[in-house]
Amino acid sequence: MKIAILGAMPEEITPLLEKLDYIQESYANNVFYFAKFKNHDLIIAYSKIGKVNSALSATLMIEKYGAEILFFTGVAGSLNPNFKISDMVYGTKLLQHDIDISAFGHPYGYVPDTPIFINSDENLNQLALKVAKSLNLTIYPGIIASGDQFICDDEKKKWIKGTFDADLAEMEGASVALVCHSLNTPFFILRSVSDEAGTKAEFDFDKFMISSAKISANFVLKMVENL
Ligand code: ADE
């Protein structure tokens, strides 16, 4: 199977590239890495941060390079006091918290002809639970809120959590979900918590981003191994 693995930052895919022999190609200001792994053809890239960048990369992986399923791996800020630094959370539903046409009476996160929440693939979510169990690891389901903002503010954190019942804040999951949903491509979004998205979250992010990114990437590779 042709499988895309996308991160946003170099640190989110480096743990994968370190384990693989690959060739690479540059296109549209992205570098795509191609590797064979357990009879699968992997296409790996980091999109650069944000919803637009990640939508572009995901689209290219599917439309130009023929990916049949897509995994996203990376880090996120926790909005849920139960999810602590280094915990793994996969997105069951994803939304864009910074979409706002409420001036016209619409709910936050809504634009016409697009669902607010996009559901991820149930088979891949079940596979994640099975793989976690086999490795004696814990992985949690959660609602992921994406926006083009690093959340490091207690009020903003409370608003996102309260408005969407979201568990994590990050900057790419919902745009990747929208692309995959629109192109009928099953997808799985995994995040390991790097910070708690409140005041001074940027310090925890700097401290834990690399270790949390590794936890997420290693788990995604285990899932691919079990496909
Ligand atoms: N990615 C990791 N932590 C984040 C945060 N607090 N806000 C947005 N994206 C993040």
Side-chain angles (χ1 to χ4, degrees):
M1 201 188 308
K2 274 199 179 178
I3 301 169
I5 308 180
L6 181 61
M9 299 177 294
E11 293 87 345
E12 290 171 328
I13 63 162
T14 299
L16 303 170
L17 298 179
E18 282 173 355
K19 292 197 171 91
L20 300 164
D21 290 322
Y22 56 82
I23 57 166
Q24 66 191 69
E25 176 178 311
S26 296
Y27 184 80
N29 287 325
N30 280 240
V31 181
F32 295 94
Y33 300 90
F34 304 94
K36 291 249 180 236
F37 182 68
K38 310 271 175 199
N39 283 331
H40 295 300
D41 290 311
L42 304 186
I43 310 155
I44 300 170
Y46 76 90
S47 61
K48 305 183 287 295
I49 292 168
K51 291 189 292 165
V52 175
N53 280 327
S54 57
L56 171 64
S57 303
T59 304
L60 290 171
M61 289 170 127
I62 297 165
E63 288 287 288
K64 180 173 168 66
Y65 295 112
E68 295 160 275
I69 64 173
L70 188 148
F71 290 84
F72 190 98
T73 177
V75 301
S78 176
L79 307 172
N80 180 335
N82 296 326
F83 298 156
K84 302 292 187 195
I85 286 167
S86 87
D87 281 350
M88 285 192 288
V89 182
Y90 63 92
T92 52
K93 298 197 284 183
L94 299 101
L95 66 293
Q96 301 182 60
H97 66 73
D98 56 354
I99 283 196
D100 181 358
I101 54 167
S102 61
F104 300 92
H106 293 299
Y108 294 113
Y110 172 84
V111 286
D113 303 322
T114 310
I116 297 180
F117 293 94
I118 297 180
N119 296 324
S120 54
D121 185 76
E122 192 43 38
N123 290 331
L124 290 173
N125 293 345
Q126 288 303 321
L127 175 67
L129 291 170
K130 196 178 109 192
V131 169
K133 195 168 178 196
S134 75
L135 296 170
N136 222 358
L137 294 171
T138 306
I139 185 167
Y140 302 97
I143 297 176
I144 294 183
S146 308
D148 289 321
Q149 301 156 2
F150 182 83
I151 306 301
C152 49
D153 177 273
D154 290 333
E155 280 308 307
K156 185 88 201 184
K157 171 180 172 176
K158 209 168 121 191
W159 183 85
I160 297 172
K161 182 171 171 38
T163 306
F164 302 104
D165 197 24
D167 298 295
L168 295 185
E170 41 85 299
M171 302 177 73
E172 297 84 17
S175 42
V176 170
L178 189 144
V179 166
C180 292
H181 171 74
S182 304
L183 297 173
N184 291 319
T185 304
F187 67 94
F188 179 80
I189 310 268
L190 182 64
R191 297 285 185 168
S192 173
V193 173
S194 57
D195 61 87
E196 294 183 358
T199 307
K200 299 211 159 64
E202 64 272 30
F203 293 99
D204 277 344
F205 178 89
D206 279 345
K207 197 162 159 193
F208 296 110
M209 185 267 283
I210 288 181
S211 54
S212 292
K214 206 175 279 178
I215 289 169
S216 176
N218 288 343
F219 189 83
V220 160
L221 205 58
K222 285 286 178 199
M223 282 183 71
V224 170
E225 220 175 298
N226 283 276
L227 268 175

